[in-house]
Structures are given as C-alpha cells and as structure tokens.
Amino acid sequence: MDQPRADATRRNGDGPGAGRTAVVTGASSGIGAATARRLAAEGFHVVVGARRTDRLTELAAETGATALPLDVTEPDSVDAFVERIPECHVLVNNAGGAKGLAKVVDAVEDDWRWMWETNVLGTLRLTKSLLPKLIASGDGHLVTVTSVAASNVYDNGSGYTSAKHAQAALHRTLRGEHLGDPVRFTEIAPGLVETEFSEVRFGGDTDRAAAVYHGYTPLTSDDVADVIAFAVTRPSHVDLDFIELKPRDQASPTRVHRAE
Ligand code: NAP
C-alpha cells in the first residue's frame, strides 16, 4: 500500500485543491473512485479508503492518491485509517450501499444491519474522527453522499431508505452544531447512477442489476464527481447545503421514463 508522507501534506500541483488534502471513503468503485480521480485532477492530495485495497492501489498509481485500507463498519479500522491522516481539508463520506429489496414484513435483519452499519454508523465514525481535523484546517468541507432515498420512501426499500434518512439527519444536524466553525457541509443526493450499487444490492446478480439501468440514460459516477468537485471548489464563504441530481428521465425514486 502507498504510505502517506510523514508530513502528509503532499502537494499535488496546481488547481483549486493545491495544498489541500481530500479524504474519500468507498473509493474502490463507482462514485468514490470517480470523485478521487476528479479531486486529484483539481490539485488535491487525495487519500482513498475502502476494503478492496487492490483497486485502491491501482487508483493510487493512476492519480497519485494515498491508498489506505478502510472498513467503515470496524472502529479499529477507522482508527488506524485516521491515525495516518494528520491533516484533512475535505472529507467525502461516500462509502455505502444497499442490500436487498423486501417488504418491511419480510425484512432481513442482516441486510438492515449491513446498511445501517455502512451508511449510518460508518458516516458517524468517519465524521467523529475527522471533523476536528477539518475544523483545525481553518477551511474544512464535509460532503456526505446520501441519496434521493434520504428524502423519499418506496415499497420494498425501507432498509435502505431508513438508513439514508438517518445518514442525512446526522449530516444535516452538523450544519447547526458547527455554525461559526470554519467548516462547510454539503449533502449530495443522487438518483440513479450506474455503478456497482445494484450488483451489491442484488448479491452479484448482474442481469437483475443491468435491468435497473435499462431503457434510459442513467447518471454516471463522473456526473456525480463533477458536482462534488464543483461544491468543494467554491470560495470558502459559499456553502452548497444540499444538491439533488437525477437523470433527466427520472422524476422520483420510483418514476423512471424508459424507452420501449
Ligand atoms: P458502488 O460502486 O457499489 O461503491 C460503493 C463503495 O463503498 C465501494 O467503494 C465499496 O468499497 C465502499 N464500501 C462498501 N462497504 C464499505 C465498508 N464497510 N468500508 C469501506 N468502504 C465500503 O456504489 P456507488 O453507487 O458508487 O455508491 C457510493 C455511494 O453513493 C453510496 O453511499 C450509495 O448509497 C450512494 N448512492 C448511490 C446511488 C446509485 O444509484 N448508484 C444513488 C444514490 C446514492 P469496498 O467494497 O472495496 O469496501
């Protein structure tokens, strides 16, 4: 694994992120990987974390990021991760996902536990650990990737929608608790983005996952990374509190226009 420099303030060249460190969780695929690439291109020194470290190593080779193992569901892993990050200007709480689709009456507790541990407690752990460093930087920015599922419910989705609602409640609370501190808070709430999300949700069933994105043009990870990069490169007095982005053909979590 790539080792962070002793002073951990690796300079990545020019751009709005020059001299700033951005930490991206869940950067081994999808939105997290795209965000890491994009923030590196903006000049940030990027620290990427996830469980699949082979993928992180490739991303680090490509972008100059620092790759560190991270399991957001394990407090010891979070502690070890954070210990190696002495300075942090931007944190992107992105690690997360869904498991299964089931009515409440058929809820699978292990799936719920996975979703709550990853999306909610994972975000809590990283936030508790790195928020003091964001504030100490004098110009911090915390971005949390929630979902349209953080403001809506849909049939068979309660495990995920409840976790995303809780993650969003945590994030939105910070805005008031840290009013007056030098830190911004941005919630990014995407609709349908074609990533490994649905493969994970359906336990590796690639046909079922592909059907989610059939008949319309979904968002890409790069589309979301573009918006995150925009938010974190505004002047430091500008706080984009909440950004929802969906494909043109998506009106709500359950209403999608699909070509026949
Ligand atoms: P993805 O391609 O499946 O990526 C999920 C990322 O989360 C992976 O890098 C995964 O890495 C990481 N992750 C999962 N469990 C983790 C753990 N315990 N510790 C550390 N990292 C973990 O899906 P994605 O669409 O990019 O999802 C990123 C975020 O966007 C999630 O919070 C998701 O809920 C949200 N979102 C997605 C969509 C969508 O339609 N795709 C829409 C709205 C919101 P490892 O498995 O290597 O650990």
Side-chain angles (χ1 to χ4, degrees):
M1 296 246 74
D2 192 2
Q3 302 295 318
R5 302 268 167 90
D7 68 2
T9 45
R10 194 154 66 184
R11 311 290 164 192
N12 222 27
D14 298 330
R20 290 164 66 75
T21 297
V23 175
V24 182
T25 70
S28 61
S29 106
I31 295 166
T35 300
R37 282 192 186 93
R38 181 59 195 273
L39 295 184
E42 296 285 351
F44 286 89
H45 167 222
V46 181
V47 179
V48 289
R51 295 166 302 176
R52 287 171 293 181
T53 50
D54 50 335
R55 290 183 177 208
L56 294 183
T57 303
E58 282 175 28
L59 185 64
E62 177 195 327
T63 61
T66 296
L68 297 174
L70 172 67
D71 183 341
V72 299
T73 68
E74 294 291 340
D76 289 349
S77 170
V78 174
D79 288 348
F81 179 75
V82 168
E83 263 171 32
R84 294 174 67 182
I85 305 170
E87 183 177 281
C88 181
H89 299 82
V90 174
L91 167 62
V92 183
N93 276 320
N94 166 76
K99 283 267 188 217
L101 273 174
K103 288 182 177 178
V104 173
V105 73
D106 298 322
V108 178
E109 281 194 27
D110 279 347
D111 287 350
W112 273 63
R113 209 167 278 117
W114 187 94
M115 289 185 271
W116 277 72
E117 270 291 342
T118 310
N119 295 285
V120 188
L121 293 169
T123 295
L124 175 65
R125 290 185 186 107
L126 268 296
T127 300
K128 280 181 71 174
S129 302
L130 284 173
L131 189 53
K133 291 178 186 180
L134 293 174
I135 294 170
S137 78
D139 184 14
H141 200 147
L142 192 154
V143 177
T144 302
V145 181
T146 63
S147 169
V148 292
S151 309
N152 299 271
V153 297
Y154 53 89
D155 293 356
N156 305 313
S158 61
Y160 185 59
T161 59
S162 64
K164 285 299 190 187
H165 274 69
Q167 182 194 31
L170 179 172
H171 173 91
R172 293 170 195 168
T173 301
L174 293 164
R175 184 78 168 96
E177 289 180 349
H178 291 278
L179 200 59
D181 287 338
V183 59
R184 288 179 281 169
F185 296 95
T186 299
E187 178 182 346
I188 304 284
L192 288 154
V193 191
E194 189 164 12
T195 63
E196 293 175 20
F197 176 90
S198 294
E199 253 183 86
V200 172
R201 171 169 246 177
F202 299 131
D205 183 337
T206 50
D207 289 344
R208 197 173 171 199
V212 172
Y213 310 108
H214 180 71
Y216 68 102
T217 305
L219 297 177
T220 66
S221 297
D222 286 339
D223 295 328
V224 183
D226 197 30
V227 171
I228 293 172
F230 179 78
V232 303
T233 54
R234 294 313 87 207
S236 54
H237 67 286
V238 179
D239 195 317
L240 289 166
D241 287 58
F242 176 80
I243 305 172
E244 179 171 300
L245 66 158
K246 301 195 289 296
R248 189 183 64 198
D249 283 331
Q250 183 181 20
S252 77
T254 50
R255 283 194 69 202
V256 178
H257 173 78
R258 295 174 198 269
E260 294 308 315

